[in-house]
Amino acid sequence: MTPTEAVLLLGGGLIAGTVNSIAGGGSLITFPLLVGLGLPGVAANVSNALSVAPGYAAGALGSRPDLKGQGRRLLSMIPAAIAGTLCGSSLLLFTPRSVFDVVVPFLLLLAAAMMAFQNRLRALAGHPKDNSPRKAAVLLQVAVFFCGLYGGYFNAAMGVLLIAALALVLDEPLRRISALKNVFSALVGATTVLLYSVFGPVNWAVVAVLAPATMIGGYVGAKLARRLPSEVLRWTIVVFALAVAVVLFLT
């Protein structure tokens, strides 16, 4: 790795960690960067997943004030998150990626639409506060499992999808949902680290450079997210999801 490549990775990691904590999707910065530096697709994907995992943990740490009172909810998310991540990671390691490459941009457009038209969708589906505890618990598990499936397979913009889904399920401010997203992302990251470290073609030199940068960016991004008004945060997520979808369509 040349000094120029190391500097590019450090800068990309800082930006990606910050974006992940605020809106999700930071891996769409580092993944194309790794491919551009010459890593094969699967190697870039698994190396990227391991690199951003510490940033997710730092983002969760920075979100602690908005996690108060959500301990039981977090515990209930763990089994579905791990199961979904294991399924997604297995798909990545043992199946071709071509089909999912076609699906990913459409998933991001769906996530952006869910955020942009959140109030209208709530009017159709019912406001989260109108859900019975049992219905809310089931919807939460479904959302967590499928977002874990996505995150285990491709990871990029997983946070966008999760925030969009949880905003329809939970009667919480976006900053508290974003805090949940950070913990969920850290859990997905830890699971993929265990699996990819054993079975994935990891480039450990890349991980050694990117991981510290994403940690710093993740902590800073979590602090910034707490200061953003809900509507600003919502439309930041919408715009970023649309931008990521366009990038994927073009690539």
Side-chain angles (χ1 to χ4, degrees), residues 1 6 9-10 47 50-51 54 202-214:
M1 182 185 301
L9 289 175
L10 284 171
S47 300
L50 266 66
S51 298
V202 181
N203 186 313
W204 291 106
V206 165
V207 174
V209 175
L210 264 184
T214 62

Side-chain angles (χ1 to χ4, degrees), residues 160-251:
V160 176
L161 294 174
L162 185 66
I163 290 177
L166 293 184
L168 293 176
V169 175
L170 301 177
D171 184 26
E172 294 282 3
L174 270 182
R175 67 178 187 277
R176 283 173 61 80
I177 291 177
S178 181
L180 278 178
K181 178 264 300 178
N182 287 338
V183 176
F184 172 86
S185 298
L187 183 60
V188 171
T191 305
T192 54
V193 163
L194 293 174
L195 192 61
Y196 291 162
S197 295
V198 178
F199 299 106
V202 181
N203 186 313
W204 291 106
V206 165
V207 174
V209 175
L210 264 184
T214 62
M215 287 182 68
I216 297 171
Y219 190 80
V220 171
K223 295 297 185 182
L224 290 176
R226 292 196 69 239
R227 297 176 181 274
L228 290 175
S230 292
E231 282 302 296
V232 173
L233 181 58
R234 181 161 73 98
W235 285 105
T236 298
I237 295 167
V238 171
V239 170
F240 195 80
L242 290 173
V244 170
V246 169
V247 169
L248 286 176
F249 273 122
L250 294 177
T251 57

Side-chain angles (χ1 to χ4, degrees), residues 9-33:
L9 289 175
L10 284 171
L14 286 170
I15 296 170
T18 303
V19 169
N20 269 332
S21 288
I22 294 175
S27 290
L28 260 297
I29 297 168
T30 49
F31 176 74
L33 178 59

Side-chain angles (χ1 to χ4, degrees), residues 5-222:
E5 290 173 339
V7 170
L8 287 173
L9 289 175
L10 284 171
L14 286 170
I15 296 170
T18 303
V19 169
N20 269 332
S21 288
I22 294 175
S27 290
L28 260 297
I29 297 168
T30 49
F31 176 74
L33 178 59
L34 294 179
V35 172
L37 292 177
L39 269 69
V42 173
N45 201 4
V46 298
S47 300
N48 181 64
L50 266 66
S51 298
V52 300
Y56 290 146
L61 183 64
S63 300
R64 284 182 300 173
D66 287 318
L67 292 171
K68 291 180 179 178
Q70 300 200 80
R72 184 173 298 179
R73 179 180 290 157
L74 282 172
L75 289 175
S76 73
M77 293 167 61
I78 292 175
I82 293 177
T85 304
L86 289 174
C87 290
S89 299
S90 298
L91 284 173
L92 172 67
L93 294 174
F94 302 115
T95 64
R97 211 186 111 188
S98 56
V99 174
F100 202 70
D101 282 345
V102 175
V103 175
V104 168
F106 294 99
L107 290 176
L108 290 173
L109 290 176
L110 175 62
M114 288 171 68
M115 291 299 294
F117 301 105
Q118 182 184 101
N119 293 332
R120 294 185 182 181
L121 289 172
R122 279 180 171 177
L124 293 174
H127 195 280
K129 69 180 181 181
D130 297 327
N131 292 334
S132 66
R134 182 178 180 83
K135 181 181 178 181
V138 170
L139 290 174
L140 178 63
Q141 296 302 312
V142 171
V144 166
F145 175 83
F146 281 104
C147 288
L149 180 69
Y150 175 95
Y153 190 85
F154 188 58
N155 189 273
M158 170 186 65
V160 176
L161 294 174
L162 185 66
I163 290 177
L166 293 184
L168 293 176
V169 175
L170 301 177
D171 184 26
E172 294 282 3
L174 270 182
R175 67 178 187 277
R176 283 173 61 80
I177 291 177
S178 181
L180 278 178
K181 178 264 300 178
N182 287 338
V183 176
F184 172 86
S185 298
L187 183 60
V188 171
T191 305
T192 54
V193 163
L194 293 174
L195 192 61
Y196 291 162
S197 295
V198 178
F199 299 106
V202 181
N203 186 313
W204 291 106
V206 165
V207 174
V209 175
L210 264 184
T214 62
M215 287 182 68
I216 297 171
Y219 190 80
V220 171

